[in-house]
Amino acid sequence: FSEECVMELLAIKREIKNGNFSLSELNDLSAFTNSVKTLNAKASISVGDNVWVVQKTKRTPGIVTKVNIKKAVVDMRGRSYNVPLSMIEVV
């Protein structure tokens, strides 16, 4: 990220934290960010890609075997899992 982008991101985070937003508005924002993550992942993921499946406390390596509309089938440690695109990062 550029320094300007980082500053803008910090300003956005500060506004969200200090703002007077309702739970409904925060849920809408969360849904929006998840949909953007899904669109970005779908644009950058294809079959055969080495990826990280990112959970709250760990990152597991895997290989994409199929890309669906909202999820991808990822082979991790010899087993296949349906993983939401928003949880996938390309290596």
Side-chain angles (χ1 to χ4, degrees), residues 9-10 13 15-16 20-21 24 27-28 37 39 42-43 54 68 77 81-82 85-86 91:
L9 187 56
L10 289 173
K13 288 179 179 180
E15 278 298 315
I16 291 170
N20 191 14
F21 298 103
S24 175
N27 285 335
D28 287 344
K37 288 193 305 187
L39 288 172
K42 183 136 178 119
V54 180
N68 295 318
R77 300 179 180 151
Y81 297 92
N82 282 317
L85 294 174
S86 62
V91 174

Side-chain angles (χ1 to χ4, degrees), residues 58-69:
K58 66 180 179 177
R59 291 170 23 134
T60 308
I63 299 173
V64 176
T65 57
K66 183 177 180 183
V67 179
N68 295 318
I69 294 171

Side-chain angles (χ1 to χ4, degrees), residues 18-37:
N18 297 332
N20 191 14
F21 298 103
S22 69
L23 183 57
S24 175
E25 291 168 327
L26 292 172
N27 285 335
D28 287 344
L29 181 60
S30 178
F32 173 74
T33 56
N34 282 334
S35 67
V36 169
K37 288 193 305 187

